[in-house]
Amino acid sequence: MTSPIAYLSNADRLDRLFIDGEWTLPEPLTRTAVVDPSTEESVAEIALGSSADVDTAVAAARRAFAGWAATSAESRATLLDRVHALILERAEWFAQAISLEMGAAIGYARSAQVPLAAEHIRVARDNLATYPFLSHRGTTAILREPIGVCGLITPWNWPLYQITAKVGAALAAGCTIVLKPSELSPLSALLFAEVVQDAGIPPGVFNLLNGDGPGVGAALSAHPDVDMISLTGSTRAGVLVSQAAAPTVKRVALELGGKSPNVILPDTDLSRAIAPGVAAAFRNLGQSCSAPTRMIVPSQHLQEVERLACAAVAEMVVGDPRSEQSTHGPVANRAQFERVREMIAVGIAEGARLVCGGTGRPQGLDRGFYVRPTVFSEVDSQMRIAQEEIFGPVLCVIPYDTIDEAVAIANDTIYGLGAHVQGGDLETARSVAAQIRSGQVHINYPAWDPNAPFGGYKRSGNGREYGIEGMEEYLETKAVIGFQSA
């Protein structure tokens, strides 16, 4: 099978932007390297767009909007079905690209990164088929209409998954799109643009600009002909996007950082709760904004929790992401590598007790952005490692004495994206879940639900993605009073 890099290079995609249904060469041509985090070596160069390319892409999306918005829900659903089928058909290419560009273990790319991304398209298709775009309230008609041209800015940690979460919902709603994926993990985005093209999405409806934040991201956020910006990224990036968007009063949807708690209630079966909690915190090597990296545990069970957590870490195999034996690869880029190592050192300096892991690379790995899965115990909620998003495999175990104290610790954060609660008594778990200020709460490690709305309280953002609520972010509400006779 041809590698994604070889294919994209041979197809002359790496130097191109996808605008108005065509692969176009930006002028001037500026390139940036795509670095394999397992070797620290450049494996490709991609073209970066500019503010002028943003103007061209937005103009194409604006021209296409009226026609796309007027299409029937059935025709849009048919096209989304083609996109879904093509992602599954090309799943191995996507998995290889994601493993190469951001270091996901190939098994995880195949089992999670790609199939979960495809699910967002399926859900958008299915919800579109039954959504009431017209409803009645007495003699008034309530219309839900597409908001217009949408600028979508996606991150490097779940590159395809975050693209499909936004693109599927926006296309279902009848919006047109200019997508800026992360320039750090752009290969899967280029493959996705081909999927959209091959599925028959009309020209101008979907446009792709690789580029950096100061160049393409800022221009897209400020553009007067963009009706909405949807960003998944850091809280800092969310602030910048909001500031750039403010003068044009466009809608801004933000899915930002997190420091999610995992509350282990006193009646929890620790043998069934701790290992899955560690796995959830370290999925995608902790590079998930909703990863439950604060494990809040009863003081009397602290030593047993530590033992079980370290046993779970010992089962992890950090290594070459293309190896079938590796459960985890490197972190995605040098900046993140340095950040994780710095924060592990901060935890040690703050007096948290290091029970496994540490600052160095795992044994036998002397190059690549590899870090050791690390567990701290006896963490105080005011420590930096308990307050700041580390975005790596670092778990903070925080003891508590009462359930009220556990809830207070869970809420002691500027974030509010995700949370977990474990307990034998479901009513108690539900009560605790109701008191946690976050956009999602998972009780006893339920299966992932692509229809569950996802988004944050507090500085974790605003708006929701996934499911019906995700599509409604891209809709305006119009009331037509007197639509029916009294």
Side-chain angles (χ1 to χ4, degrees):
M1 179 180 181
T2 304
S3 73
I5 290 286
Y7 169 74
L8 290 168
S9 178
N10 292 337
D12 201 18
R13 298 293 186 247
L14 297 174
D15 279 345
R16 307 280 168 159
L17 313 174
F18 186 69
I19 300 176
D20 207 11
E22 301 289 339
W23 291 93
T24 61
L25 194 68
E27 292 186 12
L29 178 58
T30 304
R31 297 185 177 95
T32 190
V34 179
V35 175
D36 177 351
S38 69
T39 64
E40 306 180 44
E41 295 177 355
S42 173
V43 292
E45 289 190 334
I46 60 157
L48 293 179
S50 65
S51 59
D53 297 309
V54 171
D55 290 340
T56 303
V58 170
R62 178 59 62 194
R63 287 192 301 272
F65 173 65
W68 180 247
T71 58
S72 67
E74 292 77 13
S75 63
R76 296 200 300 275
T78 296
L79 289 170
L80 284 170
D81 190 57
R82 292 178 190 168
V83 172
H84 179 250
L86 286 170
I87 291 173
L88 296 179
E89 181 181 304
R90 302 173 189 180
E92 182 60 21
W93 265 6
F94 278 113
Q96 289 189 25
I98 291 167
S99 183
L100 181 65
E101 69 190 355
M102 58 76 59
I106 189 64
Y108 191 74
R110 290 171 178 152
S111 66
Q113 289 265 6
V114 177
L116 298 186
E119 277 293 278
H120 286 311
I121 301 295
R122 181 194 65 79
V123 165
R125 176 202 66 195
D126 291 352
N127 288 335
L128 171 60
T130 59
Y131 188 78
F133 288 95
L134 170 64
S135 61
H136 299 279
R137 190 177 302 161
T139 61
T140 296
I142 309 298
L143 280 68
R144 303 304 304 274
E145 299 178 339
I147 193 169
V149 175
C150 298
L152 310 180
I153 303 175
T154 57
W156 47 259
N157 57 320
W158 287 83
L160 181 63
Y161 176 95
Q162 293 290 353
I163 287 172
T164 57
K166 297 181 191 298
V167 170
L171 290 179
C175 296
T176 55
I177 293 163
V178 180
L179 169 68
K180 190 207 90 66
S182 171
E183 72 277 16
L184 300 177
S185 53
L187 305 177
S188 54
L190 292 170
L191 293 173
F192 180 76
E194 281 211 330
V195 161
V196 169
Q197 183 181 36
D198 293 347
I201 302 294
V205 171
F206 172 89
N207 305 273
L208 169 73
L209 300 179
N210 278 314
D212 59 20
V216 170
L220 197 57
S221 302
H223 204 289
D225 283 335
V226 171
D227 300 293
M228 174 180 172
I229 288 287
S230 177
L231 164 82
T232 297
S234 68
T235 299
R236 175 181 172 275
V239 170
L240 294 173
V241 163
S242 297
Q243 290 171 336
T248 52
V249 200
K250 58 173 58 73
R251 183 179 298 175
V252 178
L254 302 172
E255 194 264 280
L256 307 176
K259 194 69 179 178
S260 299
N262 186 0
V263 178
I264 311 296
L265 294 173
D267 66 345
T268 303
D269 182 348
L270 300 181
S271 67
R272 300 170 65 91
I274 302 308
V278 175
F282 292 173
R283 67 188 174 96
N284 208 38
L285 211 66
Q287 297 168 124
S288 296
C289 46
S290 60
T293 53
R294 293 185 298 141
M295 185 176 283
I296 302 168
V297 309
S299 297
Q300 66 267 32
H301 299 318
L302 185 59
Q303 289 187 338
E304 180 66 4
V305 169
E306 292 171 359
R307 184 187 69 79
L308 292 168
C310 285
V313 169
E315 295 296 316
M316 297 176 179
V317 180
V318 179
D320 181 354
R322 261 77 74 190
S323 168
E324 302 286 347
Q325 283 69 48
S326 297
T327 60
H328 298 73
V331 294
N333 52 69
R334 181 174 295 281
Q336 201 55 35
F337 175 66
E338 299 296 345
R339 166 70 176 171
V340 173
R341 285 158 54 104
E342 173 195 354
M343 290 305 294
I344 293 173
V346 165
I348 294 170
E350 286 182 315
R353 188 156 59 82
L354 182 68
V355 293
C356 57
T359 55
R361 286 185 174 90
Q363 186 175 2
L365 297 170
D366 57 2
R367 71 169 183 166
F369 303 138
Y370 294 99
V371 297
R372 298 167 67 188
T374 296
V375 176
F376 284 106
S377 188
E378 298 181 12
V379 176
D380 184 276
S381 189
Q382 299 309 305
M383 291 179 179
R384 284 182 62 193
I385 57 169
Q387 290 293 321
E388 297 182 23
E389 185 176 42
I390 299 172
F391 225 61
V394 181
L395 177 65
C396 297
V397 178
I398 306 174
Y400 70 86
D401 294 320
T402 67
I403 292 178
D404 286 346
E405 183 186 1
V407 172
I409 292 170
N411 288 329
D412 185 18
T413 172
I414 62 172
Y415 299 112
L417 188 58
H420 289 245
V421 178
Q422 320 305 325
D425 179 69
L426 188 56
E427 286 303 314
T428 302
R430 288 171 176 164
S431 173
V432 170
Q435 297 174 70
I436 295 176
R437 299 281 295 170
S438 67
Q440 276 193 355
V441 184
H442 300 238
I443 296 178
N444 291 332
Y445 305 119
W448 178 68
D449 181 0
N451 268 301
F454 180 72
Y457 287 26
K458 300 185 280 188
R459 296 190 197 178
S460 286
N462 54 63
R464 292 296 181 266
E465 294 190 304
Y466 313 170
I468 292 292
E469 291 79 5
M471 185 172 72
E472 288 179 334
E473 286 292 327
Y474 297 91
L475 296 172
E476 286 281 23
T477 301
K478 177 186 288 182
V480 182
I481 304 164
F483 185 86
Q484 292 180 312
S485 299

